[in-house]
Amino acid sequence: MEMVQESYELDVGNLMASYPHHNFASPPSSREELVKECLQEGTKLVQAIADALFNLPSTESPDGPLVQLPQPTTRLPREKPLPKPKPPTKWEVFAKKKGIQKRKKDKVLFDDQTGSWKRRHGYDRVNDDKDVPIIEAKATDEPGQDPFAKRQEDKKKRIEKQEKNRYSNLKEAVKAGALPSHVQLAATALPITGTQAAQRKISKDELGNVAGMAAHATASGGKFDKKLPGEKPPKHDKKYRKFLPVAEGSGMGSLEKQQTEKVLNKLMAKSSHEILNVQKAVNMYNVKKEKKGRSQGGRSSSTDSKLKARKSPYKKSSTKGPSKKGKSK
């Protein structure tokens, strides 16, 4: 067994074992023999990996002994090439120069205006401009200027500045060849970062499709977005549903008449026997009629014993009827 294990090629770092010198004594005659032989050899390989793991230095833990795997010796191929390093942004360069370290901020902060804990960002956030009823005037404020409108304008300027910085960072990433894949038009024009596919010219239709996808990426589906000069409305490939007008008009009666005629023509067509089974309807009518007659006969001939009335209701009504009248008299 030890001689066989020495010929195994073990890669404990990848938990992988192989036996390249294996030869069948005789070719398997059936699939069952081949599966059996493979299971036997696989069991030996797994046992060799387990023996190698127990020979490594271990440390005790509540869950059992732990071992540190060595570095893998087999280089496994990658499905995709290694991504290129993303160039640092202007802020990252500035923070590194000044020694500013990134620290984790709390998601919840205390709001002094409402006296409660609120989220830092998003809906109902802390120190929201909408929650401020009064803004104190400053000496630098211009007379007659609305402070609330000024806050909104400053916020728009900050957002525009952030977008400008983001575009400049993307331009730097394009120069370095490390543009994020979610920004690339990989499906239409540009190749994925790291691939060797040559760039091709973007057609007008492809640009229109990408612009339409970007316009519908907002929460409102692009309804409230500002239209570019010369931008056409998106095409509607599907059919529109047609409904009757809500208010009665000149064409209301004709449309309803057309719909009812369409239904009647479908019922009275040559293939109406497939839609309406006349024989079945007649049988159901006859059965209901018989049940109704039986129920009426049973009620008129009600007696003291319900079981006897069910067996022969007509005989009991004829025999016991006059006897009861005589007794009553």
Side-chain angles (χ1 to χ4, degrees):
M1 184 69 179
E2 293 178 356
M3 297 295 293
V4 177
Q5 286 186 359
E6 289 179 357
S7 61
Y8 290 157
E9 293 183 359
L10 296 178
D11 185 4
V12 186
N14 289 325
L15 297 178
M16 185 176 66
S18 61
Y19 185 32
H21 305 291
H22 177 267
N23 292 319
F24 289 100
S26 61
S29 58
S30 62
R31 184 176 178 83
E32 287 75 12
E33 293 183 5
L34 178 62
V35 172
K36 185 177 179 181
E37 182 72 18
C38 292
L39 288 176
Q40 291 177 357
E41 293 298 327
T43 304
K44 295 177 183 178
L45 292 174
V46 173
Q47 185 63 44
I49 295 174
D51 295 341
L53 289 176
F54 278 98
N55 291 331
L56 294 174
S58 61
T59 57
E60 294 296 331
S61 69
D63 298 329
L66 297 177
V67 297
Q68 182 69 30
L69 295 178
Q71 290 294 329
T73 58
T74 305
R75 293 186 63 183
L76 300 177
R78 286 177 56 89
E79 181 184 0
K80 295 179 181 179
L82 287 170
K84 294 184 179 180
K86 186 179 177 182
T89 60
K90 291 183 179 180
W91 165 251
E92 291 175 350
V93 173
F94 177 78
K96 185 177 181 181
K97 183 179 178 180
K98 297 294 183 181
I100 303 174
Q101 296 182 356
K102 186 177 181 181
R103 59 185 180 85
K104 190 175 181 181
K105 297 180 181 180
D106 297 332
K107 294 183 179 180
V108 182
L109 297 175
F110 186 77
D111 191 3
D112 297 331
Q113 299 177 4
T114 58
S116 60
W117 293 89
K118 291 187 177 182
R119 291 175 291 184
R120 182 184 291 271
H121 305 289
Y123 174 74
D124 196 19
R125 61 184 178 273
V126 65
N127 297 328
D128 193 359
D129 295 340
K130 297 179 180 179
D131 296 337
V132 180
I134 300 173
I135 300 177
E136 295 182 2
K138 298 180 181 179
T140 56
D141 293 345
E142 297 180 3
Q145 188 179 18
D146 188 2
F148 296 97
K150 189 175 183 300
R151 278 198 174 189
Q152 293 291 333
E153 187 178 355
D154 294 342
K155 183 178 179 181
K156 288 182 180 180
K157 289 181 179 179
R158 287 197 304 269
I159 294 174
E160 290 176 359
K161 185 179 179 181
Q162 291 174 0
E163 283 294 313
K164 187 178 179 181
N165 295 337
R166 188 175 71 88
Y167 286 139
S168 62
N169 293 332
L170 288 177
K171 288 179 182 179
E172 294 295 329
V174 170
K175 292 179 182 179
L179 188 66
S181 59
H182 66 277
V183 180
Q184 297 179 4
L185 306 178
T188 56
L190 300 179
I192 299 176
T193 302
T195 59
Q196 300 297 328
Q199 296 185 6
R200 59 186 180 86
K201 191 175 180 179
I202 310 172
S203 64
K204 184 178 179 181
D205 295 336
E206 289 174 347
L207 282 175
N209 294 336
V210 174
M213 292 169 59
H216 285 75
T218 57
S220 61
K223 184 178 180 181
F224 302 103
D225 295 345
K226 186 184 291 184
K227 300 296 181 182
L228 297 175
E231 183 180 359
K232 296 181 181 179
K235 296 181 180 179
H236 194 278
D237 299 333
K238 299 179 181 179
K239 296 182 180 179
Y240 288 96
R241 294 180 62 187
K242 296 181 180 179
F243 300 95
L244 290 175
V246 179
E248 294 186 1
S250 58
M252 186 67 179
S254 61
L255 289 175
E256 289 186 353
K257 185 178 180 181
Q258 289 177 5
Q259 286 190 352
T260 52
E261 286 180 355
K262 187 177 180 180
V263 175
L264 289 174
N265 291 334
K266 189 175 180 180
L267 292 173
M268 303 303 293
K270 294 181 180 179
S271 60
S272 60
H273 59 279
E274 299 177 1
I275 303 171
L276 179 62
N277 193 340
V278 181
Q279 186 65 30
K280 186 177 180 181
V282 172
N283 292 339
M284 290 177 64
Y285 175 76
N286 293 335
V287 169
K288 288 182 180 179
K289 190 175 180 180
E290 290 178 2
K291 286 183 179 180
K292 189 176 181 181
R294 290 173 185 173
S295 62
Q296 288 178 357
R299 288 176 184 175
S300 61
S301 59
S302 58
T303 56
D304 297 336
S305 176
K306 291 184 179 180
L307 294 175
K308 292 180 181 179
R310 287 178 183 174
K311 290 181 180 178
S312 56
Y314 297 103
K315 291 182 180 180
K316 290 176 183 177
S317 61
S318 60
T319 53
K320 289 188 178 181
S323 61
K324 283 185 178 180
K325 290 181 181 179
K327 287 180 182 180
S328 61
K329 287 179 180 178

